[in-house]
Amino acid sequence: MCSSDLGPRRWEAWLLGLLAAAVVVATSRDYGFAVDEATYLWVCRQERAWFAELGERGLQESLSKEGIARRWHFLEPPAAVVDAPHSNFNLPLAHHLMNAGWAVGRLALDELRATRLSAALLFGCCAGAVYAAVGSQYGRPAGLFSAVALVCSPRIFGHAHFAATETPLSALWTLALLAADRASRSADPREARRRALVASLLTAA
């Protein structure tokens, strides 16, 4: 284990994560349209429409079984879905993240690239977290090598460019694993329990 003076600083992890995310955003025009993205874009539009209708229809109607089924098609079996050619039955967390990225990026990016923004940011979070976690145990060179290895993994780097569920899933599991590792190493029982709870929530998400 390295001494604290050799470990990475927090700002270094943030900077590395932002750089990794920036590289993905800058190269997002170089990637074509993935087959699954038509489904995810459609589902994201349905979700945004549900929130837009909230003010018009009221909370009670929007939260009724019919109001939810009208937009949240993952709740219905495929045979019961009407006018939903791109229905997706994954749970909606990934779509929430995509729409959060869309809300932030839509002022500067087109719809597709804005919807992809959350994947780029999660990819950056993973790179920064890996650098911080490995570097705190084995020093900056090991942390940097680990982060660069992650960023340069072709499939992981490629998936970070798409509005799909792969990057949110892999990012949350990676962060959960790192949180669990920190929990197992913590000498403070309260801190260990807090980190174990964070790891459990990330895994469940």
Side-chain angles (χ1 to χ4, degrees):
M1 182 182 297
C2 73
S3 60
S4 59
D5 61 323
L6 296 178
R9 302 292 186 262
R10 184 172 295 180
W11 68 266
E12 295 174 352
W14 280 105
L15 179 60
L16 192 149
L18 287 173
L19 287 174
V23 169
V24 173
V25 174
T27 57
S28 61
R29 289 187 184 276
D30 301 334
Y31 283 72
F33 191 71
V35 173
D36 290 351
E37 286 187 296
T39 296
Y40 297 123
L41 284 172
W42 186 87
V43 172
C44 285
R45 289 172 182 170
Q46 293 294 305
E47 180 178 305
R48 295 198 297 269
W50 185 87
F51 281 106
E53 292 171 354
L54 204 56
E56 301 173 4
R57 299 178 181 274
L59 189 62
Q60 184 173 357
E61 182 180 346
S62 296
L63 290 178
S64 67
K65 182 178 180 181
E66 294 77 15
I68 292 175
R70 184 170 55 251
R71 298 297 185 184
W72 301 85
H73 297 288
F74 70 92
L75 295 173
E76 297 290 340
V81 177
V82 179
D83 296 328
H86 302 298
S87 291
N88 177 265
F89 302 98
N90 291 312
L91 292 177
L93 177 61
H95 310 136
H96 295 337
L97 294 173
M98 291 176 202
N99 273 329
W102 170 85
V104 173
R106 66 191 178 120
L107 298 177
L109 304 169
D110 58 64
E111 182 187 12
L112 177 59
R113 296 179 69 206
T115 308
R116 289 173 168 179
L117 182 61
S118 63
L121 294 176
L122 286 169
F123 176 72
C125 283
C126 274
V130 166
Y131 171 70
V134 176
S136 65
Q137 295 296 318
Y138 304 106
R140 281 189 179 92
L144 184 60
F145 179 85
S146 299
V148 170
L150 176 70
V151 170
C152 292
S153 298
R155 186 159 191 156
I156 295 174
F157 182 76
H159 271 298
H161 290 77
F162 298 120
T165 57
E166 284 81 2
T167 295
L169 181 64
S170 60
L172 291 174
W173 282 2
T174 300
L175 295 174
L177 179 62
L178 295 176
D181 179 68
R182 291 291 296 273
S184 68
R185 297 175 185 273
S186 178
D188 182 355
R190 288 186 178 180
E191 185 71 10
R193 285 195 295 270
R194 184 178 67 83
R195 289 173 174 169
L197 177 61
V198 170
S200 300
L201 291 174
L202 288 170
T203 303

